[in-house]
């Protein structure tokens, strides 16, 4: 089954404790992206990657890191999480073409206390 | 500033009561407009892409249309299973890897 998977689905952590949210897709898509979704603000892009070893900042990259060492994986790293990073996070992937019909993962709900 | 605004924020319909959701946008140059459906606790699911004014796309009870400044998602004779949040997103001519999302319309269809 073609899908985007994320782990963990739920995470409660404390301020400053480094964490990684994994994202993997089995569709051989070139493009991958991370979003956060907050009430009243909608989905905002954090980082995106056009292909292996090619990443760039989205609208809200502060406090996050990403890497793209393999085509299928695009982990999101929070080096020192803070309470304002409490949010619902989505990973998405898309084949590289002019229009980006993105396929989203199930989401990771992160709470930073 | 590129902006996408959806209205209404929430809409409650009776089963069979047709209506429309609105997505208005102000962007420097539109490459594509997307509609997604999001169920509670799940990621957005792709519905439609529209590229140019006058274009229409249909899927079951949903029809999406596009003008130069806005898009409508028409829901004909909705059923309770159509209840979800509907998201609109635009892709600009510059930086086509970026999608700008609206905040969505929460639709509830009662039996």
């Amino acid at each position: 089954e073609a899908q985007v998977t994320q782990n963990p689905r739920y995470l409660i952590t404390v301020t400053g404790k480094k964490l990684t949210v994994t994202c993997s897709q089995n569709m051989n898509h070139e493009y991958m992206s991370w979003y956060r979704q907050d009430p009243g603000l909608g989905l905002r892009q954090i980082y995106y990657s056009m292909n292996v070893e090619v990443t760039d900042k989205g609208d809200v990259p502060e406090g996050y890191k990403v890497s793209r060492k393999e085509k299928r994986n695009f982990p999101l790293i929070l080096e020192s999480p803070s309470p304002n990073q409490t949010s619902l996070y989505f990973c998405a992937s898309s084949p590289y073409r002019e229009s980006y019909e993105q396929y989203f993962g199930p989401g990771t709900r992160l709470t930073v206390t | 500033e590129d902006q996408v605004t959806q209205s209404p924020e929430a809409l409650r319909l009776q089963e069979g009561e047709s209506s429309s959701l609105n997505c208005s946008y102000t962007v420097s140059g539109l490459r594509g407009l997307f509609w997604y459906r999001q169920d509670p606790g799940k990621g957005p699911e792709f519905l439609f892409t529209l590229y140019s004014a006058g274009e229409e796309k249909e899927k079951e009870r949903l029809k999406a249309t596009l003008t130069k400044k806005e898009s409508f998602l028409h829901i004909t004779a909705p059923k309770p299973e159509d209840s979800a949040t509907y998201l609109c997103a635009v892709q600009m001519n510059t930086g086509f890897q970026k999608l700008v999302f609206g905040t969505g319309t929460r639709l509830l269809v009662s039996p």
Side-chain angles (χ1 to χ4, degrees), chain A residues 4-91:
Chain A
V4 178
T5 57
Q6 296 178 227
N7 282 292
R9 294 289 315 279
Y10 303 91
L11 179 60
I12 301 174
T13 189
V14 296
T15 299
K17 185 176 181 181
K18 181 179 178 179
L19 66 92
T20 300
V21 183
T22 65
C23 172
S24 183
Q25 50 95 2
N26 62 0
M27 297 169 279
N28 201 37
H29 286 167
E30 291 84 1
Y31 177 86
M32 297 185 74
S33 183
W34 276 103
Y35 294 86
R36 61 178 290 174
Q37 188 174 37
D38 302 289
L41 296 177
L43 279 158
R44 294 178 293 166
Q45 189 180 53
I46 303 170
Y47 269 94
Y48 64 90
S49 170
M50 300 295 284
N51 215 323
V52 175
E53 301 293 1
V54 181
T55 63
D56 207 348
K57 297 176 181 179
D59 293 321
V60 288
E62 294 77 21
Y64 305 95
K65 286 177 58 178
V66 293
S67 68
R68 186 95 181 271
K69 293 182 169 45
E70 303 169 283
K71 196 172 187 179
R72 63 183 292 128
N73 296 324
F74 190 43
L76 179 69
I77 303 158
L78 285 72
E79 294 269 3
S80 183
S82 61
N84 65 12
Q85 293 178 298
T86 293
S87 187
L88 181 57
Y89 291 87
F90 290 101
C91 179

Side-chain angles (χ1 to χ4, degrees), chain A residues 9 31 35 37 40-43 45 48 50 59 90 96 98-102 104-106, chain B residues 31 34 36 38 41-46 49 51 87 91 96-103:
Chain A
R9 294 289 315 279
Y31 177 86
Y35 294 86
Q37 188 174 37
L41 296 177
L43 279 158
Q45 189 180 53
Y48 64 90
M50 300 295 284
D59 293 321
F90 290 101
Y96 184 78
E98 284 201 1
S99 68
Y100 284 82
E101 300 167 5
Q102 296 190 25
F104 284 80
Chain B
R31 178 179 288 269
F34 301 82
Y36 287 85
Q38 186 174 21
K42 295 189 176 181
E45 176 187 346
F46 171 76
T49 308
Y51 294 105
L87 302 173
Q91 178 190 22
F96 56 83
Q97 62 273 19
K98 176 180 175 179
L99 289 184
V100 177
F101 280 85
T103 53

Side-chain angles (χ1 to χ4, degrees), chain B residues 15-59:
Chain B
E15 184 171 3
E17 180 186 2
S18 302
S19 189
S20 298
L21 312 182
N22 178 263
C23 170
S24 63
Y25 58 90
T26 52
V27 297
S28 50
L30 181 73
R31 178 179 288 269
L33 185 141
F34 301 82
W35 282 98
Y36 287 85
R37 169 190 171 130
Q38 186 174 21
D39 292 300
K42 295 189 176 181
E45 176 187 346
F46 171 76
L47 292 173
F48 303 111
T49 308
L50 301 166
Y51 294 105
S52 56
E55 188 175 0
E56 298 183 353
K57 294 274 180 74
E58 283 191 70
K59 180 180 180 179

